């Protein structure tokens, strides 16, 4: 296993994301899988980062289990969240969702 | 027990548990005398009896409703004959619908001391309190002499729940409890997890762990039922705050809660008050009522689910929390596993385990899981948990309706 910053948690060997354990400010230089990268946005506790390049449509895997699919190509080191992945179960609710439409 | 199992920390102590042997063969890790009110109108009298008895092993439970309910009667029967319970005082107003005779007969049939006080027949509040205090003190004195007998880990029933969750619960405390559950199941213990309403989205994954395909379909059906029930009440399981905390999808959120169950095969589904078959294993408790939506929320707060798992024989509950729940329970100890290191720093007096060390890179989920396992053994051996020390003995029982379990829910092994 390649080394990543201690603030990033790998929950399962099969995962393509790492989970952030504490707030990391934007522009922080981070080690992810043995490579240095610069964080483009601030990352809050509980948020996810791509551990490697992820293709559009590929499953996002956490705990070794699928949690949804990428809606676009996600580059190594990028924030993975509702803007670039979606549920394969049913769409998530958003605060700004229009009633009757998600 | 399989003594050839892979060696692990302190397995030498595992056979060293000691329990209170009850007439049905089950063993308790506590020796509690209950005072149970059978309607809210008797609550005050029952509470005063418990206050004046003034002992941590004299505890208050009760059912507030005036109208009878089969589920409430079944749960009160199971609770008053729980292996951690040595005897019960029933406090009735007199005109409520609760079937106190059936409850009293069920308790008496186990050989436990039981007495019913009916306030309307006893002379009123003060007279009933005085009589109740006398009976409770005398009964507590008598049952204190019960000898403990050797007990093994495979006789334990351990439950888990999460409450006051935050973004840390699913990454530290829940996977650690999952590891502890795997250890317990491997040792032959019975483990119970629940919250089907919070497992929406991972039912297919869960179904694959079932020991038979028919059980897998039942698991999917019971999560579907939970989804329908909650959406009728107007609540989805995925809230905006979840996305703020970094959770992107409902399956991701549900998997966080699901991690408490570990990776062992799922041996069956039980409903509140049902017993898992002998032989140990991992069981899913279906806590969402059957039939049309009625009586409001399935469980109005965490203690309602804790009580349901205790009614199915749980000796203790592993409670994971991120934001910092403080509750304990009547009858069976609650072990608090704190997911968030900041919460732990603020509320250490309420927390038994600091799983937040995982987030600081100071321990792995498996190491914290081992620590929880050792705590389970210590608590079973009589050590008190933080919530017990602080006097937490919360209890809630409300109205529900359940159909009997389907035949596929408990496959023969």
């Amino acid at each position: 296993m390649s080394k990543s910053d201690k603030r990033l948690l790998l929950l399962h060997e099969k995962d393509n994301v790492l989970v952030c354990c504490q707030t990391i400010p934007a522009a922080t230089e981070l080690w992810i899988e043995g490579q240095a990268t610069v964080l483009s946005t601030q990352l809050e506790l509980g948020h996810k980062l791509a551990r490697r390049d992820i293709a559009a449509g590929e499953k996002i895997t956490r705990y070794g289990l699928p949690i949804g699919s990428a809606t676009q190509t996600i580059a190594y080191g990028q924030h993975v969240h509702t803007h670039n992945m979606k549920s394969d179960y049913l769409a998530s609710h958003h605060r700004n969702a229009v009633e009757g439409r998600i | 027990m399989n003594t050839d199992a892979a060696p692990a920390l302190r397995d030498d102590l595992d056979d060293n548990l000691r329990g209170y042997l009850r007439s049905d063969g089950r063993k308790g890790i506590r020796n509690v005398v209950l005072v149970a009110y059978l309607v809210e109108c008797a609550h005050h009298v029952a509470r005063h009896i418990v206050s004046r008895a003034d002992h941590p092993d004299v505890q208050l439970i009760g059912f507030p409703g005036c109208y009878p309910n089969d589920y409430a009667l079944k749960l009160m029967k199971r609770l008053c004959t729980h292996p951690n319970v040595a005897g019960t005082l029933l406090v009735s107003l007199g005109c409520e619908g609760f079937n106190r005779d059936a409850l009293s007969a069920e308790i008496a049939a186990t050989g436990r001391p039981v007495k019913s006080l009916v306030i309307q027949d006893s002379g009123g509040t003060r007279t009933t309190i005085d009589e109740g205090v006398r009976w409770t003190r005398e009964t507590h004195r008598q049952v204190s002499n019960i000898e403990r007998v050797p007990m093994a880990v495979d006789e334990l029933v351990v439950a888990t729940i999460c409450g006051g969750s935050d973004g840390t619960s699913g990454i530290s405390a829940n996977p650690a409890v999952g590891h502890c559950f795997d250890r317990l199941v491997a040792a032959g213990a019975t483990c119970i997890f629940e919250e089907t309403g919070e497992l929406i989205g991972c039912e297919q994954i869960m179904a694959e762990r079932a020991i038979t395909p028919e059980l897998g379909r039942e698991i999917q059906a019971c999560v579907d039922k939970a989804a329908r029930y909650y959406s009728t009440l107007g609540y989805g399981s995925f809230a905006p705050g979840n996305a703020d905390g970094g959770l992107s999808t409902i399956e991701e959120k549900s998997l966080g809660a699901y991690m408490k169950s570990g990776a062992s095969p799922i041996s069956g589904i039980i409903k509140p008050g049902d017993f898992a078959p002998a032989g140990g294993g991992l069981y899913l408790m279906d806590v969402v009522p059957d039939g049309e939506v009625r009586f409001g929320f399935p469980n109005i707060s965490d203690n309602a689910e804790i009580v349901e798992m205790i009614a199915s024989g749980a000796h203790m509950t592993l409670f994971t929390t991120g934001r910092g729940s403080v509750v304990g329970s009547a009858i069976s100890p609650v072990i608090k596993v704190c997911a968030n290191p900041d919460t732990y720093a603020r509320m250490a007096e309420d927390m038994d385990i600091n799983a937040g060390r995982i987030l600081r890179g100071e321990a792995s989920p498996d190491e914290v899981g081992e620590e929880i396992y050792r705590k389970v053994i210590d608590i079973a051996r009589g050590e008190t948990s933080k919530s017990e020390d602080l006097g937490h003995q919360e209890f809630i029982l409300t109205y529900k309706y359940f159909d009997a379990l389907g035949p596929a829910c408990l496959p023969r092994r």
Side-chain angles (χ1 to χ4, degrees):
Chain A
M1 187 180 77
S2 310
K3 201 164 143 276
S4 293
D5 191 281
K6 264 180 71 171
R7 292 167 288 187
L8 299 172
L9 188 65
L10 178 65
L11 288 161
H12 193 282
E13 282 299 322
K14 280 163 60 183
D15 291 357
N16 51 17
V17 291
L18 297 162
V19 179
C20 178
C21 295
Q22 51 184 280
T23 303
I24 309 175
T28 303
E29 195 183 48
L30 277 179
W31 282 88
I32 302 176
E33 299 297 302
Q35 279 183 61
T37 187
V38 176
L39 200 58
S40 54
T41 52
Q42 174 159 303
L43 206 60
E44 303 287 344
L45 177 120
H47 285 249
K48 297 175 293 294
L49 207 68
R51 192 185 168 200
R52 56 170 176 76
D53 290 338
I54 299 171
E58 196 180 333
K59 295 281 182 200
I60 307 296
T61 308
R62 171 180 173 154
Y63 303 116
L65 297 165
I67 59 165
S69 307
T71 52
Q72 58 190 71
T73 303
I74 305 173
Y76 153 89
Q78 291 295 303
H79 185 203
V80 178
H81 201 17
T82 48
H83 63 289
N84 55 14
M85 68 169 288
K86 64 169 182 60
S87 172
D88 292 329
Y89 183 79
L90 48 82
S92 303
H93 301 271
H94 293 280
R95 232 172 227 143
N96 54 4
V98 178
E99 194 164 344
R101 210 192 81 205
I102 296 170
Chain B
M1 270 190 64
N2 179 7
T3 50
D4 297 323
L9 281 172
R10 295 191 32 178
D11 263 358
D12 58 318
L13 294 178
D14 287 0
D15 287 318
N16 250 346
L17 307 183
R18 297 184 73 75
Y20 299 92
L21 179 63
R22 310 300 180 189
S23 61
D24 61 3
R26 291 188 293 162
K27 293 165 192 167
I29 62 165
R30 297 292 184 269
N31 201 37
V32 169
V33 174
L34 293 176
V35 178
Y37 58 91
L38 304 183
V39 62
E40 180 60 21
C41 319
H43 189 161
H44 172 80
V45 167
R47 188 175 62 232
H48 265 262
I49 293 167
V50 170
S51 302
R52 280 185 44 197
D54 192 25
H55 192 285
D57 286 340
V58 175
Q59 300 181 355
L60 181 69
I61 69 167
F63 178 66
C66 185
Y67 300 96
N69 178 254
D70 289 341
Y71 156 85
L73 178 60
K74 175 180 177 175
L75 259 67
M76 287 292 275
K77 286 178 174 178
R78 296 289 187 265
L79 294 164
C80 294
T81 58
H82 186 281
N84 287 354
V85 174
T88 303
L89 176 69
L90 304 177
V91 186
S92 159
L93 176 63
C95 48
E96 74 274 9
F98 198 97
N99 190 342
R100 65 173 179 266
D101 293 334
L103 177 57
S104 176
E106 179 98 5
I107 301 166
T110 69
R112 287 172 171 85
V114 59
K115 184 177 178 67
S116 298
L117 290 179
V118 179
I119 298 169
Q120 289 166 348
D121 299 339
S122 300
T125 298
R126 190 173 292 118
T127 333
T128 312
I129 292 171
D130 289 344
E131 198 179 341
V133 170
R134 272 196 301 279
W135 187 89
T136 303
R137 283 190 179 143
E138 172 57 22
T139 303
H140 180 241
R141 196 184 54 73
Q142 279 173 20
V143 304
S144 300
N145 297 326
I146 297 174
E147 289 275 327
R148 290 199 289 169
V149 301
M151 179 176 179
V153 175
D154 63 7
E155 294 177 88
L156 282 177
V157 181
V158 180
T160 190
I161 183 175
C162 44
S165 298
D166 67 12
T168 64
S169 303
I171 51 184
S172 62
N174 292 353
V177 164
H179 176 87
C180 174
F181 257 34
D182 287 341
R183 288 275 277 119
L184 286 165
V185 169
T190 300
C191 291
I192 306 172
F193 72 111
E194 46 84 54
E195 297 175 300
T196 44
E198 292 173 15
L199 297 172
I200 296 164
C202 56
E203 61 269 30
Q204 290 95 339
I205 292 161
M206 209 167 17
E208 288 166 16
R209 279 168 69 193
I211 58 171
T212 66
E214 294 75 19
L215 174 62
R217 283 193 284 278
E218 290 286 346
I219 289 172
Q220 289 189 305
C222 93
V223 176
D224 288 348
K225 178 180 71 169
R228 274 198 312 278
Y229 208 99
Y230 278 97
S231 69
T232 303
L233 291 168
Y235 286 80
S237 180
F238 196 83
N242 295 136
D244 295 343
L247 299 174
S248 308
T249 64
I250 185 161
E251 51 266 52
E252 181 180 18
K253 178 191 175 185
S254 295
L255 282 173
Y258 176 64
M259 284 298 122
K260 299 196 298 302
S261 67
S264 308
I266 299 173
S267 293
I269 298 171
I270 55 174
K271 291 179 181 179
D274 294 334
F275 296 132
L282 177 67
Y283 289 84
L284 172 65
M285 179 174 280
D286 177 9
V287 298
V288 175
D290 294 311
E292 64 191 86
V293 174
R294 63 189 121 174
F295 307 135
F297 282 97
N299 284 313
I300 59 173
S301 60
D302 297 327
N303 278 97
E305 289 148 88
I306 293 174
V307 164
E308 291 182 327
M309 292 190 284
I310 294 172
S312 286
H315 289 96
M316 66 181 89
T317 301
L318 306 178
F319 190 127
T320 65
T321 185
R323 298 176 69 89
S325 172
V326 300
V327 303
S329 179
I331 302 174
S332 293
V334 170
I335 299 174
K336 218 62 73 37
V337 182
C338 188
N340 186 323
D342 299 332
T343 304
Y344 185 85
R346 258 195 329 274
M347 298 178 67
E349 65 182 31
D350 284 282
M351 303 300 163
D352 295 283
I353 302 281
N354 177 11
R357 291 188 296 127
I358 295 164
L359 304 184
R360 296 266 159 88
E362 296 162 9
S364 70
D366 287 2
E367 284 165 347
V368 174
E370 283 299 318
E371 192 187 331
I372 300 167
Y373 181 81
R374 293 196 300 276
K375 181 61 79 174
V376 166
I377 301 301
D378 288 339
I379 296 288
R381 286 158 61 84
E383 184 186 301
T384 49
S385 71
K386 291 285 181 73
S387 52
E388 284 184 290
D389 290 340
L390 292 163
H392 283 285
Q393 295 177 359
E394 286 83 351
F395 184 90
I396 302 176
L397 181 59
T398 58
Y399 285 93
K400 274 193 183 182
Y401 174 82
F402 282 104
D403 295 328
L405 276 178
C409 292
L410 294 174
R412 292 170 69 94
R413 285 187 290 165

